[in-house]
Amino acid sequence: MRVLLFIATIGIVFTACKKDKFTSAPQIKYKSLTTNVYDNSTTAVSPGIIFTITDAEGDLGDTATIHIKNLLTGDSLEHPFPNLGVSGKADFKAEVTASIGRLGGCQSSNPIDSIDVMFYELFVVDFAKNKSNTIVTTDPVFQLCR
């Protein structure tokens, strides 16, 4: 009887601790950067933040937004969520890339031929105005200032 009670208790603990993967508020997880070197004096493509997203309702269509903030400068921007063609699907999961655009703005005291190291934070707001968790890039972006 004791063994059965012990096994039942362990089973309840593991079941209760299991996190639901899909919630009404989007859940995002940082994956990587498309590149980590950026020279905004050229027409080079800016780095993108690659992240995975899950959402129970999949309400990430035209009115959903991606918010990105440069932690060095405090500048931020808002992108419309990309059209992935499968939004509105229950238990939505996708990999998304969001461009940091021109969120550089060299802050070095000597901006001529210097390098700024930047990190970004990002969150998503879905159609129902549910805000996701906030992620921070763990990889730095090196911006060449000229």
Side-chain angles (χ1 to χ4, degrees):
M1 184 65 168
R2 270 185 157 164
V3 173
L4 184 60
L5 184 60
F6 178 73
I7 292 172
T9 303
I10 296 296
I12 290 170
V13 168
F14 280 114
T15 303
C17 292
K18 181 182 174 193
K19 278 190 157 186
D20 188 7
K21 188 175 182 180
F22 299 98
T23 60
S24 289
Q27 296 297 309
I28 59 176
K29 183 178 179 185
Y30 173 73
K31 190 169 181 187
S32 63
L33 296 170
T34 56
T35 182
N36 69 340
V37 177
Y38 179 49
D39 182 350
N40 72 356
S41 68
T42 69
T43 57
V45 175
S46 69
I49 301 169
I50 303 170
F51 62 97
T52 57
I53 184 166
T54 60
D55 187 67
E57 295 82 20
D59 54 347
L60 295 162
D62 297 341
T63 58
T65 52
I66 301 170
H67 300 260
I68 303 173
K69 180 179 179 183
N70 181 324
L71 295 177
L72 178 66
T73 65
D75 295 336
S76 61
L77 61 81
E78 183 179 302
H79 285 295
F81 200 83
N83 181 1
L84 301 176
V86 291
S87 60
K89 183 183 114 196
D91 293 344
F92 175 81
K93 181 177 182 177
E95 183 175 287
V96 178
T97 302
S99 172
I100 64 165
R102 293 215 171 253
L103 275 180
C106 292
Q107 297 296 305
S108 300
S109 57
N110 181 14
I112 306 300
D113 294 329
S114 62
I115 298 175
D116 276 348
V117 179
M118 294 174 285
F119 293 89
Y120 297 87
E121 75 177 17
L122 180 144
F123 66 89
V124 173
V125 177
D126 69 10
F127 178 75
K129 303 297 181 211
N130 295 313
K131 181 181 173 186
S132 74
N133 56 307
T134 300
I135 58 173
V136 176
T137 58
T138 54
D139 304 312
V141 172
F142 301 98
Q143 180 175 336
L144 307 173
C145 301
R146 299 176 195 222

